[in-house]
Amino acid sequence: MVFDRVLLATLMPTWPLLDGEEKPAVVTEVVASVSRAIADAPFHIRLAVRSVSVFLSLCIFLISAGAGGPLASALRADRFYTLLQRSPGPITSVMRLYRSMTLLAFYEQTPVAAKLLSVRTTQNQKA
């Protein structure tokens, strides 16, 4: 869903650094994975998450307009997410759900796991 892509693109970790070809493929897979997981949720959860995600995506789109690049856009979105996590209510729960699902799906991707394992191997060889 378009709204998932807007949210997840700003929640995606920046480390490990992915090559130019890897990043779009990973983002696409993460969005597909999170969207499938939400689609498989019970109706009442799906309804709440979809309703809140439309609102959040529109806010992110408006906040990111004219940001000057993806890094500035991500920084603005991160400040917005920090503000949201301090507020009570269902928005905080939906943000926590999206953040945890995004991280899990991101670190499960083959290119990401390969880079993490290579960093780990390098650190073990230095020790």
Side-chain angles (χ1 to χ4, degrees), residues 57-94:
S57 296
L58 291 173
C59 288
I60 294 301
F61 179 75
L62 293 173
I63 287 170
S64 299
L71 189 57
S73 177
L75 183 60
R76 287 182 182 186
D78 192 49
R79 288 182 186 152
F80 178 62
Y81 295 148
T82 301
L83 175 72
L84 288 178
Q85 292 199 353
R86 293 182 188 151
S87 63
I91 291 177
T92 303
S93 299
V94 170

Side-chain angles (χ1 to χ4, degrees), residues 6-100:
V6 170
L7 284 172
L8 299 179
T10 57
L11 289 171
M12 208 73 63
T14 56
W15 189 86
L17 295 177
L18 300 172
D19 298 337
E21 297 173 2
E22 291 174 327
K23 184 151 180 115
V26 166
V27 170
T28 300
E29 285 299 315
V30 168
V31 169
S33 175
V34 172
S35 295
R36 274 192 310 270
I38 291 171
D40 290 342
F43 176 75
H44 66 286
I45 293 173
R46 237 183 7 248
L47 180 64
V49 169
R50 291 293 180 208
S51 300
V52 171
S53 71
V54 170
F55 168 74
L56 290 174
S57 296
L58 291 173
C59 288
I60 294 301
F61 179 75
L62 293 173
I63 287 170
S64 299
L71 189 57
S73 177
L75 183 60
R76 287 182 182 186
D78 192 49
R79 288 182 186 152
F80 178 62
Y81 295 148
T82 301
L83 175 72
L84 288 178
Q85 292 199 353
R86 293 182 188 151
S87 63
I91 291 177
T92 303
S93 299
V94 170
M95 280 307 306
R96 190 176 307 121
L97 175 73
Y98 268 112
R99 188 175 299 241
S100 59

